[in-house]
Amino acid sequence: MDAVCDCRFERDELEHREFAIELLEIFDLARYKDEGGTSLPYGNQRRLEIVRALAPGPLCFCLTNRRRMNPSEQEASCV
């Protein structure tokens, strides 16, 4: 029984990692995957926050306070 649980856990973990990498690629952050979030420029930190919010797979996601973003960041946030 434990072997079945371990296999399921490992499969689920792999799926979650793959989904996280896919989100990082969508938001053009995959090249930073091995860096700490605080070392990223401000705009990339905001996009990383969005990735972290989307990672659990929410049904609804609302962005607020886009006014603090510059025009290129606003454009990049429209995915």
Side-chain angles (χ1 to χ4, degrees):
M1 180 83 172
D2 288 336
V4 172
C5 291
D6 288 342
C7 289
R8 188 177 316 143
F9 173 78
E10 290 173 9
R11 185 181 66 239
D12 288 348
E13 173 117 0
L14 180 62
E15 289 175 5
H16 290 294
R17 284 182 184 272
E18 289 172 350
F19 183 60
I21 296 297
E22 183 179 335
L23 286 172
L24 289 173
E25 289 172 353
I26 290 170
F27 283 86
D28 196 30
L29 294 171
R31 64 180 172 263
Y32 304 114
K33 69 180 175 71
D34 296 322
E35 295 185 28
T38 57
S39 68
L40 299 176
Y42 179 80
N44 288 344
Q45 287 182 18
R46 302 293 73 85
R47 289 191 296 170
L48 181 60
E49 288 178 3
I50 296 169
V51 168
R52 291 179 65 194
L54 292 173
L59 297 176
C60 180
F61 183 72
C62 298
L63 287 175
T64 60
N65 202 12
R66 290 182 61 204
R67 293 176 299 209
R68 292 186 60 193
M69 295 180 173
N70 66 43
S72 66
E73 291 171 338
Q74 288 180 6
E75 180 70 27
S77 72
C78 296
V79 181

